[in-house]
């Protein structure tokens, strides 16, 4: 349950930040509507769209890199556990051989 609520809270935060930044950028362009020429407004609109797309892309890359780090960490732990289990199996075999032959240390 905690994982789902944490994910919902993160999603709401991202949504609200994106909504507020998009609203702010759009409000700025509409407030400048009477002051700017038609070409300047087109340029401002293009910058608005590019800025919103850049913010979305940056957020997407941040979350993808976090997922990739978790995946790499999980794979590393799996490989480590396999190496530890193999080493323990070898040591167990050696201990069995020593126990059978009754070597003195």
């Amino acid at each position: 349950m905690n994982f789902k609520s944490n994910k919902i809270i993160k999603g709401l935060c991202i949504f609200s930040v994106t909504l507020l930044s998009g609203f702010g950028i759009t409000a700025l362009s509409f407030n400048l509507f009477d002051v700017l020429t038609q070409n300047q407004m087109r340029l401002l609109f293009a910058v608005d769209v590019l800025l919103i797309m850049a913010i979305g892309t940056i957020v997407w890359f941040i979350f993808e890199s976090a997922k990739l780090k978790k995946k790499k960490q999980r794979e590393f732990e799996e490989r480590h556990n396999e190496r530890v289990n193999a080493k323990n199996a070898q040591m167990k075999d050696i201990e069995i051989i020593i126990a059978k032959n009754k070597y003195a240390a």
Side-chain angles (χ1 to χ4, degrees):
M1 270 324 247
N2 191 18
F3 177 72
K4 288 183 180 180
S5 63
N6 193 11
K7 195 171 183 179
I8 290 171
I9 291 171
K10 283 183 183 179
L12 287 174
C13 288
I14 292 170
F15 173 76
S16 62
V17 167
T18 305
L19 181 69
L20 291 175
S21 62
F23 179 75
I25 292 168
T26 307
L28 176 68
S29 64
F30 279 115
N31 284 335
L32 295 174
F33 184 73
D34 293 336
V35 178
L36 300 176
T37 65
Q38 185 177 6
N39 286 335
Q40 290 172 334
M41 283 301 296
R42 288 179 181 164
L43 181 65
L44 185 62
F45 179 72
V47 170
D48 291 347
V49 171
L50 291 175
L51 192 61
I52 290 172
M53 287 175 53
I55 290 170
T57 304
I58 290 169
V59 169
W60 182 75
F61 277 123
I62 289 171
F63 281 109
E64 286 299 315
S65 68
K67 287 180 185 177
L68 185 62
K69 284 180 184 177
K70 286 180 183 179
K71 182 180 176 183
K72 284 184 178 181
Q73 180 66 27
R74 187 173 55 247
E75 289 174 354
F76 173 76
E77 288 175 0
E78 288 174 1
R79 288 192 313 267
H80 175 71
N81 290 337
E82 288 175 5
R83 288 191 300 264
V84 167
N85 291 337
K87 188 69 168 177
N88 287 340
Q90 287 177 349
M91 292 303 293
K92 183 180 174 184
D93 291 341
I94 291 171
E95 289 173 2
I96 291 172
I97 292 170
I98 291 172
K100 285 182 182 179
N101 293 328
K102 299 181 184 178
Y103 289 118

